[in-house]
Amino acid sequence: MVLTKAVSESDVSVHCTFASRYVRTSLPSIYYIEISLFIYLFNVYRYKMPENSIPKEAAYQIINDELMLDGNPRLNLASFVTTWMEPECDKLIMDSINKNYVDMDEYPVTTELQAKKQNRCVNMIANLFNAPLGDGDTAVGVGTVGSSEAIMLAGLAFKRKWQNKMKQLGKPCDKPNIVTGANVQVCWEKFARYFEVELKEVKLSEGYYVMDPEKAVEMVDENTICVAAILGSTLNGEFEDVKRLNDLLVEKNKETGWDTPIHVDAASGGFIAPFLYPELEWDFRLPLVKSINVSGHKYGLVYAGIGWVIWRNKEDLPEELIFHINYLGADQPTFTLNFSKGSSQIIAQYYQLIRLGFEGYRNIMENCQENALVLKNGLEKTGRFNIVSKDEGVPLVAFSLKDNSRHTEFEVSDMLRRSGWIVPAYTMPANAQHVTVLRVVIREDFSRTLAERLVIDIEKALVELDSFPSRITQKLIATGTEEEEYHKAVVKKTAIEVQREVTNAWRKMVADRKKTNGVC
């Protein structure tokens, strides 16, 4: 299509779309415009707002073209976060995406779903966690951006209660501490650093990758604001023994006169245990459990951006931490770290709770568990891996190479990316950092077919890696040094530096092979 309208120089940024679908001048000028715009987009748009406008189609294409380079969310097996929801829920999310949750008086129905007197989501979750609610009682809890914010709020409540108690006793209250396992998620370290609380970590050991209850209770002292137990470790999905921790802590509290409580970080396991392990005692059935956080955007089956924290009763959330505002049209209490946030994730959580019900959640969790077993059995049949995860816990499979003298878990992870799979490799925390594992998280949208296909691709990756020289041989070839000098060099380098050198070496070998295989 040829347009005869003359285009001024200032007109170009407004009317010319990326890729120039409309021919307005001769080819050389169009070529100049395209190249100039290309340079402009990649050198200016990234870090500085442009002076002139561009068409909406061009803006969309610029962003969309870069986003196409992202991995496929369904093949991102590193993440616990939900990547698929039903179209009906997607529509509800889009219909409410322009509603600010804090405008409670303007959006009373949306507010009722999450935070007014007859709080639906909070009460449903509190009942799921066996909160001691009487007839007509309202649960105490709040929706958050995720479990990180939920943990910050729970930690603040524990700290303030401990401070108030120490002041009443006339004792110093400037050195609070919290006891956790070394396997905690980084949000616990953030809480400790941001709010000046000492983090006392129970170290792990090879073969035991969760907090030891006996060691944790030994570390408790008068300044301990709480002990944090994890229901579903990020490292291997294992549930910590909350009941054993509760029983030991009850005895210690009797001996010392303290009243050290427990917080359960159920970010991953809170929407799993009630459906797969209903007899497991980890929640408010245990007297020392005072608060629980859970991620709605993990196995609560909602897109990223929603978490929950539930308290046992009103006395466990100090009133002085709750603010009351009225400048949005009505008096409303607020206890969050941020203020404005979207309503769509809250509505999505409510949709899942009433759409699936107990039966639906149980079916989905059972399916995830069965697919995890399919993957685990497939990996065991290869004879190449040790399974680090447990059958009881979050539906995931954590595994390590039986023999990593030739190639590492990091190399396996890198090879799988070529097939589109995102499977993380990482080292364990303190006292077990010599152990490296790969981890596959099984979510609702990870089917049995995908599990079987992943095993096939892992086997292919191993075959290809086996065709490469071993790490030691490669190092000798790359450096051309004597064996004695090689060993000296290894001592001077960190493990990650050695792994990077190895990875770069075999990448170069693969590239060289592709150059000579005759394929265009």
Side-chain angles (χ1 to χ4, degrees), residues 125-141:
I125 296 170
N127 278 288
L128 195 64
F129 295 166
N130 294 292
L133 300 175
D135 294 338
D137 286 349
T138 300
V140 181

Side-chain angles (χ1 to χ4, degrees), residues 338-467:
N338 66 314
F339 192 62
S340 294
K341 66 178 178 180
S343 297
S344 55
Q345 308 310 94
I346 297 165
I347 292 171
Q349 183 73 83
Y350 184 62
Y351 172 90
Q352 293 289 49
L353 291 171
I354 66 170
R355 158 76 174 96
L356 296 172
F358 196 94
E359 176 189 32
Y361 270 97
R362 184 182 61 223
N363 290 340
I364 290 171
M365 301 311 153
E366 287 176 348
N367 187 57
C368 289
Q369 185 183 47
E370 290 171 4
N371 288 336
L373 289 174
V374 169
L375 178 60
K376 174 192 170 186
N377 293 336
L379 293 171
E380 287 178 329
K381 287 179 181 178
T382 68
R384 302 286 295 271
F385 297 104
N386 291 316
I387 305 299
V388 178
S389 52
K390 306 294 183 181
D391 289 342
E392 183 176 292
V394 177
L396 62 79
V397 183
F399 53 102
S400 60
L401 286 166
K402 289 182 177 180
D403 179 12
N404 60 5
S405 62
R406 287 180 56 84
H407 303 290
T408 69
E409 289 81 0
F410 293 100
E411 293 171 350
V412 175
S413 174
D414 195 69
M415 289 291 290
L416 288 174
R417 278 185 175 266
R418 301 183 180 193
S419 300
W421 301 104
I422 302 175
V423 178
Y426 52 87
T427 55
M428 289 294 190
N431 287 13
Q433 59 265 47
H434 59 285
V435 179
T436 305
V437 300
L438 295 147
R439 187 195 67 204
V440 174
V441 178
I442 309 300
R443 300 188 302 270
E444 179 187 8
D445 56 354
F446 187 79
S447 64
R448 180 162 302 195
T449 301
L450 286 177
E452 294 168 348
R453 181 69 207 182
L454 178 58
V455 173
I456 293 172
D457 285 344
I458 289 174
E459 290 178 325
K460 287 182 178 179
L462 292 173
V463 170
E464 188 165 356
L465 283 172
D466 288 343
S467 69

Side-chain angles (χ1 to χ4, degrees), residues 231-360:
L231 195 76
S233 172
T234 300
L235 301 178
N236 68 346
E238 187 174 352
F239 291 167
E240 293 183 343
D241 192 344
V242 187
K243 187 176 189 310
R244 176 64 177 159
L245 176 65
N246 178 87
D247 294 345
L248 291 171
L249 207 48
V250 166
E251 292 301 316
K252 183 156 189 171
N253 285 343
K254 287 180 180 178
E255 294 172 3
T256 61
W258 305 334
D259 57 353
T260 308
I262 295 172
H263 174 86
V264 179
D265 179 357
S268 298
F271 278 108
I272 294 171
F275 307 107
L276 294 183
Y277 314 106
E279 301 305 317
L280 182 66
E281 293 184 47
W282 63 273
D283 52 19
F284 292 120
R285 285 171 288 184
L286 302 175
L288 291 184
V289 174
K290 302 300 182 181
S291 56
I292 301 172
N293 70 276
V294 64
S295 292
H297 59 220
K298 292 182 180 177
Y299 289 94
L301 307 180
V302 179
Y303 294 137
I306 184 67
W308 304 92
V309 57
I310 312 294
W311 283 271
R312 185 182 192 88
N313 52 49
K314 293 180 180 179
E315 290 71 28
D316 296 309
L317 175 57
E319 179 64 31
E320 62 263 36
L321 293 179
I322 303 173
F323 293 83
H324 294 265
I325 61 172
N326 62 8
Y327 48 78
L328 290 176
D331 180 72
Q332 57 189 72
T334 175
F335 179 42
T336 55
L337 294 182
N338 66 314
F339 192 62
S340 294
K341 66 178 178 180
S343 297
S344 55
Q345 308 310 94
I346 297 165
I347 292 171
Q349 183 73 83
Y350 184 62
Y351 172 90
Q352 293 289 49
L353 291 171
I354 66 170
R355 158 76 174 96
L356 296 172
F358 196 94
E359 176 189 32

